[in-house]
Amino acid sequence: MTTIPILDGLRAIAGRYDGFILDLWGVIHDGATAYPGAADTLAALRAAGKRVVLLSNAPRRAAPLVEGMRAMGIPRDLYDSVLSSGEVVHDELIARTDPWFAALGPRCLHIGPERDRNVLEGVAAELVDHPALADWVLNTGPVSLDETVADYEAPLAACAARGLPMVCANPDIEVIREGRRLTCAGALAKRYQALGGEVGWRGKPDPAVYRASLDQLGLEAPRVLVIGDALHTDVAGAEAAGIDALLITGGIHAEELGTVWGDPPDPARLDALAAKHGHRPVAALPAFRW
């Protein structure tokens, strides 16, 4: 098998594609600050006539993500649309076309910060504050940046004991914010499953969110490139949806690769990492740059 190509800039491969599905956290920004060159790279894609959808596992609706990027210096006119896992959950909780979601009862216990409750806007659900009162659980991740799975052992165990189904609005296990690894909703959901709880997932790597992104782009899979920093979500989901994927190596896997944001990894180490995870991108970039 050939070595995964490590590119210097996106311009080396952009001509093969008409549309791009971009991750946010780890590609465009670090959760607090836009990466150097991210806005310029989006502008270059725009100037080349490419279409861009931003696809995030953020457990909240898309509008706050737009405002957050604007505050980081990423103008709204540099991309076509935003799709978040929280938005997908919101739509499913209203439509109830999936039988699993349709079976959820009227009373919801939310595990997560209050800012994520916009997922429930317009949803016929009563918020309750104790597992004994709930029919199901909405999991959007820890409330505090310092909390871990261990901090939620008691409520997770109580919910599992009652057999409450859990909706996980962010399949990510962790993210890196300003150099710190933070626990995400996916880690809580994994622990809930270990306790015997049932979890319904929405977001990457579910191929459905990639199909929705293709619909927003108005393009077929062979003309689209996914760009993300996680093999187990971004690349895995792209592969399952039949879309090429490019890995940003300065994100979630930087430590495993022994590199830092902006510096190219060792090619052999990158190949070994892809083999370990069982997902292989068509190319890699040290950072999202043109």
Side-chain angles (χ1 to χ4, degrees):
M1 185 175 291
T2 59
T3 298
I4 297 169
I6 302 173
L7 311 177
D8 180 61
L10 186 56
R11 64 186 180 280
I13 199 173
R16 301 184 199 173
Y17 305 96
D18 299 320
F20 294 80
I21 300 172
L22 308 180
D23 184 26
L24 289 181
W25 206 311
V27 175
I28 304 298
H29 61 70
D30 69 353
T33 307
Y35 290 118
D40 291 339
T41 304
L42 287 170
L45 287 173
R46 200 49 130 194
K50 309 299 184 180
R51 294 185 60 79
V52 173
V53 167
L54 306 180
L55 178 61
S56 173
N57 267 355
R60 62 195 66 90
R61 300 190 65 187
L65 304 184
V66 172
E67 292 307 312
M69 285 186 291
R70 185 178 285 118
M72 296 179 198
I74 307 291
R76 177 62 185 85
D77 60 0
L78 292 185
Y79 51 91
D80 293 282
S81 60
V82 181
L83 184 62
S84 69
S85 55
E87 193 76 43
V88 174
V89 166
H90 168 265
D91 292 348
E92 190 60 70
L93 287 172
I94 290 179
R96 303 290 178 121
T97 54
D98 183 312
W100 191 88
F101 276 81
L104 297 175
R107 298 177 300 176
C108 168
L109 173 69
H110 177 213
I111 294 177
E114 189 172 346
R115 66 176 178 273
D116 296 340
R117 288 185 183 173
N118 61 7
V119 170
L120 296 172
E121 288 176 352
V123 175
E126 175 191 355
L127 274 173
V128 296
D129 60 5
H130 195 279
L133 303 174
D135 297 307
W136 58 283
V137 183
L138 172 64
N139 167 22
T140 64
V143 173
S144 166
L145 299 181
D146 297 321
E147 291 178 321
T148 67
V149 174
D151 294 304
Y152 288 83
E153 186 69 18
L156 290 175
C159 291
R162 290 205 61 237
L164 302 180
M166 171 186 284
V167 175
C168 179
N170 174 6
D172 287 348
I173 303 299
E174 62 180 5
V175 294
I176 298 176
R177 179 186 173 94
E178 299 179 298
R180 296 172 55 204
R181 289 185 178 268
L182 306 180
T183 300
C184 292
L188 301 184
K190 289 286 188 183
R191 178 55 183 157
Y192 195 62
Q193 288 181 320
L195 291 168
E198 180 184 9
V199 179
W201 305 78
R202 284 296 183 272
K204 298 178 290 185
D206 183 356
V209 298
Y210 290 88
R211 291 192 292 269
S213 298
L214 291 176
D215 289 342
Q216 293 197 8
L217 288 170
L219 296 169
E220 298 297 323
R223 298 302 304 167
V224 173
L225 179 68
V226 167
I227 300 178
D229 72 319
L231 288 164
H232 52 284
T233 52
D234 301 300
V235 178
E239 287 177 345
I243 309 172
D244 286 351
L246 180 148
L247 180 71
I248 300 297
T249 59
I252 198 73
H253 295 299
E255 186 175 330
E256 290 177 274
L257 291 168
T259 189
V260 295
W261 184 92
D263 288 348
D266 175 75
R269 201 160 176 174
L270 176 59
D271 286 342
L273 180 72
K276 171 187 172 183
H277 286 270
H279 303 294
R280 189 176 181 84
V282 299
L285 265 177
F288 182 64
R289 61 193 183 204
W290 189 246

